[in-house]
Amino acid sequence: MPRGSKDKYTDKQKRKAEHIAQSYEAQGVSEQEAEARAWATVNKQSGGGERAGGSGQQTPTAAKQAARESSARRALATRRGIPRPGSKLESMTKQELMDLARKRNIAGRSTMRKQELIEALRKPS
């Protein structure tokens, strides 16, 4: 399959890419950039062309779905102010801790010291 060929994509994927591209163009993005973003979105959502053939091993649909759900859960946690696993509160600045406390509606945060903010953020909400 030559680079840029969309033969391996389903009609539904092609329609989706076209719709996404039109949306970007309506926002003032150039036609070429809109098309590139649209196909990148389709590829991220579905793992590329779904018709048989081509190169490499296709990721199973169930695995793609699980990855999307996991990604959505992480994004929601970020919006709620829950730090990602592995990110240590001690390494954050006081301002970052204040922002996190604000997202979680922790009372009295404006008068807390850095260590008090860390302790308050560690408590389950």
Side-chain angles (χ1 to χ4, degrees), residues 26-41:
Q27 295 174 21
V29 176
S30 72
E31 184 177 339
Q32 190 174 8
E33 177 67 17
E35 186 177 351
R37 288 183 187 183
W39 283 109
T41 302

Side-chain angles (χ1 to χ4, degrees), residues 7 25 28 63 72 76 103 106:
D7 292 340
E25 288 174 26
L76 180 60
K103 286 180 182 176
I106 294 176

Side-chain angles (χ1 to χ4, degrees), residues 34-50:
E35 186 177 351
R37 288 183 187 183
W39 283 109
T41 302
V42 169
N43 286 335
K44 181 166 178 119
Q45 291 176 347
S46 63
E50 293 181 346

Side-chain angles (χ1 to χ4, degrees), residues 42-84:
V42 169
N43 286 335
K44 181 166 178 119
Q45 291 176 347
S46 63
E50 293 181 346
R51 292 189 180 159
S55 63
Q57 180 179 349
Q58 290 289 323
T59 306
T61 306
K64 288 187 240 179
Q65 181 64 28
R68 281 194 294 273
E69 289 172 3
S70 171
S71 176
R73 271 192 237 99
R74 286 192 313 272
L76 180 60
T78 300
R79 283 193 298 274
R80 288 184 177 162
I82 300 168
R84 288 189 175 201

